[in-house]
């Protein structure tokens, strides 16, 4: 049995807010269409409660220069 793939995305506070607002807008659209919002609800909880972790970003030098 293959393990489920997990993805980790680094977001700043501004980007995190955009994701939450976009998910809420999509949820509203689905509700207005009378469709299920279960998947969006799960994503809102997952993104909204994701732990913050500090880390350093190391940029690679451009070898072509």
């Amino acid at each position: 049995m293959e393990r489920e793939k997990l993805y980790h995305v680094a977001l700043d506070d501004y980007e995190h807010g955009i994701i939450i607002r976009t998910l809420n807008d999509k949820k509203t659209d689905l509700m207005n269409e009378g469709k299920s919002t279960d998947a969006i609800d799960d994503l809102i909880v997952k993104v909204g409660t994701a732990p913050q972790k500090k880390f350093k970003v190391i940029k690679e030098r451009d070898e072509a220069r």
Side-chain angles (χ1 to χ4, degrees), residues 1-56:
M1 187 170 174
E2 188 177 333
R3 294 175 83 190
E4 183 178 1
K5 290 182 181 180
L6 298 176
Y7 297 89
H8 299 271
V9 179
L11 304 171
D12 62 23
D13 287 338
Y14 179 74
E15 294 166 332
H16 184 262
I18 290 172
I19 298 294
I20 295 294
R21 281 189 298 281
T22 302
L23 288 170
N24 277 320
D25 290 345
K26 182 63 177 176
K27 179 180 176 175
T28 301
D29 293 344
L30 290 173
M31 287 172 56
N32 290 336
E33 296 171 8
K35 296 182 179 178
S36 173
T37 62
D38 293 345
I40 299 295
D41 293 337
D42 292 344
L43 283 171
I44 290 170
V45 169
K46 193 176 277 192
V47 172
T49 62
Q52 290 184 345
K53 188 173 188 179
K54 291 186 178 185
F55 60 92
K56 286 186 179 182

